[in-house]
Structures are given as C-alpha cells and as structure tokens.
Amino acid sequence: MTRRNSLWTVAVLTLAGMMLVACGGGGEPTASTPPPSTSVPAATATPSARDHMQQGMAYAEQGKLDEAVAEFKAAIELEPANAIARHNLGVTYAHQGQWQEAAAAYEKAIELAPNFGEAYGDLAWSYVELDKLAEAIAAGEKAIKLAPEYATAYNNLGLAYSKQGQFDKAIAQFKQALELNPKSAQACNNLGTVYLRQSQLDEAMALYQKAIQLDPNLTMAYYNLGVTYYQQGQLDPAVTHYLKAIQLKPADPLFQLDLAKAYRDQGKSDEAIAAYEAYLRLLPAAPDKAAVEQEIAKLKEPSTKGAAAEYRNAASGYSLRYPDGWYYEEDKAQVMFAESKQALRSAPKDTPLVVFMAESVSKIAQELNLKDITDPKVALSPMAQEIKAEMSKVETGKVGGYPAALVTVAGTYHGASYQGSIAVVLVEGTAVYGVAVVPPDQWAAFRPTYLAMINSLTFSSPGYRNVQGGYSLRLPKGWAYKESKAMITFAPGEQALEASMETALKEGPLLAVDASPQIKLAADLDVKEPATPTAFVQAMAALLGARVDKVDTGKTDGNPNAYANLSGEYKGVPYRGGLAVILVNERVIAAYGLASPDQWETVRPVFIDLLNSLTFFEP
C-alpha cells in the first residue's frame, strides 16, 4: 500500500514473526501492525537520516530488532521532525513487546503529522496491549476516518472491541479488515477467536484453517485451532496443532501448558510430565507453579496408595483423589466419602467417614464467630468445638501452593468414639476443609490415606449449575453467591448479598443470572412478537429506568443473545452496568451486572467472563 502527501512517500516492508498474544480459552486476537517504511533516496557518502532509515528497514526485515531501533533513533537525532522515523520506531518497539515505548513513538509521529491515519491505526494496538481500551477505540476510529482503506486500522479497532466484550462490533471490524485485505491471516485468526469465545466452534475452526492457508507460519492460528479441537474433545488433532505451534515458537510456555493438559487427558503420563516440566523451565516464576508441580507429582505416582480415583467438585472448583472403589455422595460444595453406600450410613461407628466442603472465608468466619480468617490455624479450634472434639497436634504447610493447617482430633459421634483430623486450606477467598472421623482402632492405618486425599487437592475456577434454570457458569473467583430457584446472585462478600440493593451498590458490585419461561416473561414485560433478545433487553432496561447504549447482538453457546451497557440511578444511588439476554429453547436467560460508576470498568471484565462461561441444558 502506498500513501502520498506533501511530507513523504511510504514504502511497504514486511516484518516476519508477528507477536501474537494468547489467553484462557484460545487466546486473545492478535494485532496486525504495518512494517517500518520510508522513501529511499540515493545513498550519500556520510550516513544521513535517510541512510539510517534504510539500514533500519533492512535490520527489521532480518529480524534484528535491537539494531533496527538503534538506526531509527539515529535517524530521529538527525531529523527530529521525521514522523516516518517515529512511526517506524514505534512499529519495531511493538514487535519487541515494548508497548509503552511504541505508544510514545506513535504519539510523537501523530503530533508531527496530525493526519497520519496509519499511525493512529497502529497506536490502537499498543493501547490495547496497555489495556487503554477507550483510547484504543478513539485511535482506531480516527484511523479509519483518515485512512479508510487501511485494513490494519479495522483489525486493531476490532481488538479493542473484542477485549471490551463488544463482540458484534469486533466481528464487524475484522470482517471489514478482510474485505479490504482478503489475504490477512491475522484478521482471519482474530475473527476466529471472537467466534471461539462465543462458543461458535465450527466458525472458529474454519477461520483458523483459512489463516493457516494464508500464512503457514502464523503460530497463533495453529495454537487456537488446537484449543478448538481440545474444547470439542478431539485430543489427537489438538496435540498435533499444539506441537506445530511449539515448533514455530518453542519459547512460549502457554503452548507447553496446554499440550501437557491434552497429553494428560489422553492418559500419556510421560509426555504430559515432559510438557509440564518444559512449561516450568520456560516460566520459572509461573503463578500456578505449585499446582503444576503437584500435577507432575500425581502423574509420576498415578497409583498413590489409598487415593487412586479422581473426584471434582464443580460447584467449588476443588479436585482430589480418593480410595479406589469407595462410594461418595455430594451436595453442592460438600462431598462425603465412605467405603460403601451402606458404610456411609453407619460411619464412623464401624468404618471411616471423610467429608470435604468449601465456603467463602467470610461466611465461615461469621459461622465460627471469628472476625476474619487470614491464617488457616485460626479456624481449627472453633471447628473442633463445633463437633465437640478434643485437639492434639497441629501441623501447617501448603497444599496446591495455598496455606494449610491440620489438627488431630478425638471425640464421640452419635455415641460412637472416633479419632480423626480437620484440615483447612485457604484458596483466594475460599476455605476448603476436610474432616475425617474414624473408629479409634482404625485411625493409625487410615491416616496416610486421609493425608493422601488432602495432599492431592487441586483448585480451579469453580463451576455452578442451576438445575431449575437449565444453565451452568463459572463462578467469579472469591465471590460469594446466593441462589433462589432459577436465580443466582453474586457479590464480593456475604454482607453485600444480604444488604438492600442500594446499600450493596454503595459498597460493592452485584451480578445476577436468572431464567424465565419466554412466553410468561414476554407477557409480563409487554414484549411483542417476535420476542427477540434485543426486545427483552430494551424492556428490562425500561423497567429499571436505565439508559441504554446501542444494543449488540450475537450468540452464547450457540443461542441468540443481546447485550447493552446501562447507566442510571436506583433510589438515588447512581450506577453503571451491563444487561445480557439469551434465548434458549423457549427460555429467557437474563444476566445483569451493576456497580457504582467508579467501579464498573473494574467489574465489567468479571461480568463478561461470567457471560462467556454460560452453557445451557434442559432443566
């Protein structure tokens, strides 16, 4: 693409090795920044600014980015008003992942040449990476006004919308980028990632495959295609595409982590261990290092004595191993283990009984009459008092990388004597605890089994399933929740859940999901046929007296949806928020998030993650 004005001529140079950034569920879309460029005059005996520009372009083409930076800086020293040199410096910084420096260079280029549309378009990518989404959108919109044929500007504007959760707008921008440049592998990959986040797996897969056809070296397209296969349970092709991504970019730890999970699910322990270990070598300070090391230990000793079967509590996000062949019963966040169904009824009189449970730290503190629980040892004594047990030896340590404490106890239960233990693990605002009560003559032999169960605990984002409403979702980590039939409400603490709405909005945000029969709700809200998600959003917002931004539409888990940002007041308390409606088999799944205006930008990503995690089933 060539751009001409009174200042310069832009010549295109292609940089190899785009940096593509991934996250959770297939990775974020990736930006497509134009390469450094300049007009190239005849060479002079003494290096001029133009000579430094030419050498910088050559270095960039060879992937020698540090050298390219030095050359562009030399050009700027000689010609401080050279907007092209500033732009090229920004592009090079962007490919090094130095986003602050890239943004500063683009901003200076724009200051020198206010109509430099391409610089605005590239600045949008840096702002996205710096999480300055409002600024990214403003820069992207300015770019497409000044340079409407510049495909990259639409691509980068799509990135900003995608990161905000405005998927319809993101899709429109990525499609426009492809219309202007049908051979843009990056735009194909980015559009596929938005579809993947909306659980439109077939559409995502087709776009990733097209991206690979356009650019066989586009690492993220292989990785994202692997994620799509993994989400469909197709482990063999998932592994194949993860390996291709690793071949192209061997230093990316994320690829090794997801490869390890796929190998683990295939039952290939040795390969999974090797991939997990590669992940830790590449990322020695990994935030989940303790959990990964624990997973490696499990894979190396898959037949750990007394803990051979795997149990996962989806409601609270904890997993553990338990004795193979044992029976268990669960009730939401609680599970009880015994040797058999019959033994569960008679334990601990004749056989061991083990119970695990998870609750928010604030709720347990309230139940135990404690001000707070920041050390797991604090909870042991009141827990022992609750079951009228005597305590002896207290031990402390870590489980899954989280602080833990354990105490040996003894007492009577329904007239039967027992010995056993209480263990507490504090996990990011949640307390997971285990209780073992065993006939005294069996405790010494059973204790290693109980300890193996405790030490096998791992933790992940908890899942929630509303049977009456027919929906599942991932719980906001560390938040408390309250359910009532087909509705669930979330808040950062128990007190906010019990407070009035205006009090809750003053002190913290509220999120909620509810399910209703479509015909009944349409009648209640006077929604006329056809009863679309948009019509429900507008009617619900009107009921709240809320102001509505433009309503965006799309799909959630394959079902039509609508989303709008809200603002308004509730009993004199101002708020901002979001409202989403999904139509699922004659049901309306409605979700809203509300917060004080100064909190909403922080709360909004939590709400968007909750919406993206929704899946549906027949109630």
Side-chain angles (χ1 to χ4, degrees), residues 492-541:
E494 296 287 342
Q495 291 183 346
L497 287 176
E498 303 302 328
S500 64
M501 186 168 172
E502 60 267 30
T503 301
L505 286 174
K506 288 178 182 178
E507 298 178 356
L510 285 174
L511 310 181
V513 180
D514 197 6
S516 306
Q518 182 174 327
I519 294 176
K520 183 179 185 303
L521 189 62
D524 291 344
L525 297 175
D526 196 25
V527 172
K528 307 299 183 184
E529 291 294 335
T532 63
T534 298
F536 278 109
V537 164
Q538 291 170 336
M540 289 178 180

Side-chain angles (χ1 to χ4, degrees), residues 45-260:
T46 301
S48 64
R50 291 165 293 189
D51 295 326
H52 285 297
M53 291 279 283
Q54 181 181 25
Q55 186 60 56
M57 290 167 61
Y59 280 138
E61 191 172 38
Q62 297 165 21
K64 298 179 179 179
L65 300 183
D66 289 341
E67 291 87 344
V69 166
E71 292 295 333
F72 294 137
K73 284 184 175 180
I76 290 168
E77 282 189 28
L78 294 171
E79 292 183 6
N82 189 327
I84 290 288
R86 304 278 184 176
H87 172 261
N88 291 356
L89 180 61
V91 171
T92 313
Y93 277 139
H95 283 277
Q96 291 179 315
Q98 298 186 53
W99 305 111
Q100 292 281 7
E101 293 83 353
Y106 292 139
E107 289 165 350
K108 186 63 177 178
I110 291 167
E111 179 185 327
L112 294 167
N115 293 324
F116 197 168
E118 290 86 349
Y120 276 106
D122 303 334
L123 176 60
W125 180 22
S126 292
Y127 281 155
V128 167
E129 294 294 339
L130 293 170
D131 210 27
K132 296 181 176 180
L133 300 185
E135 293 91 334
I137 289 171
E141 290 177 344
K142 183 77 170 179
I144 61 179
K145 288 179 181 178
L146 293 172
E149 300 301 312
Y150 184 43
T152 295
Y154 297 92
N155 181 78
N156 294 349
L157 180 55
L159 294 179
Y161 283 135
S162 176
K163 199 165 184 180
Q164 271 197 338
Q166 299 190 59
F167 296 130
D168 279 359
K169 290 184 177 180
I171 288 170
Q173 298 303 322
F174 293 138
K175 285 184 175 179
Q176 183 62 33
L178 284 170
E179 184 175 329
L180 290 168
N181 181 11
K183 295 185 178 180
S184 174
Q186 288 86 5
C188 281
N189 178 74
N190 296 344
L191 181 56
T193 298
V194 175
Y195 284 136
L196 180 62
R197 293 183 67 182
Q198 293 184 306
S199 300
Q200 296 177 247
L201 302 186
D202 292 341
E203 293 88 341
M205 185 171 291
L207 283 158
Y208 293 142
Q209 290 168 338
K210 182 179 178 181
I212 290 169
Q213 291 173 357
L214 292 168
D215 183 358
N217 294 318
L218 187 57
T219 310
M220 284 305 298
Y222 288 102
Y223 168 72
N224 289 338
L225 190 52
V227 170
T228 311
Y229 278 123
Y230 183 84
Q231 290 192 6
Q232 292 179 321
Q234 300 184 53
L235 298 179
D236 289 345
V239 166
T240 298
H241 287 86
Y242 288 151
L243 288 171
K244 181 62 177 179
I246 290 170
Q247 178 186 344
L248 291 169
K249 194 175 180 183
D252 194 309
L254 177 66
F255 300 164
Q256 295 286 356
L257 180 62
D258 282 359
L259 176 64

Side-chain angles (χ1 to χ4, degrees), residues 268-320:
K268 297 181 178 180
S269 298
D270 291 344
E271 292 87 344
I273 290 168
Y276 276 130
E277 290 177 341
Y279 168 71
L280 293 179
R281 282 197 303 273
L282 292 168
L283 195 63
D288 57 349
K289 181 177 181 180
V292 170
E293 288 175 340
Q294 189 174 30
E295 188 65 32
I296 292 171
K298 284 185 185 180
L299 291 167
K300 288 183 176 179
E301 300 181 21
S303 58
T304 301
K305 180 181 178 182
E310 188 81 22
Y311 167 79
R312 172 175 169 75
N313 188 284
S316 293
Y318 65 87
S319 302
L320 60 100

Side-chain angles (χ1 to χ4, degrees), residues 547-592:
R547 295 178 292 278
V548 178
D549 286 351
K550 175 180 176 291
V551 179
D552 294 317
T553 59
K555 287 189 176 182
T556 300
D557 196 28
N559 300 281
N561 70 24
Y563 176 90
N565 288 319
L566 307 177
S567 59
E569 290 188 357
Y570 182 82
K571 294 187 177 181
V573 179
Y575 67 81
R576 289 177 61 199
L579 172 63
V581 169
I582 307 105
L583 300 187
V584 184
N585 298 334
E586 300 182 352
R587 284 173 288 143
V588 177
I589 311 295
Y592 68 80

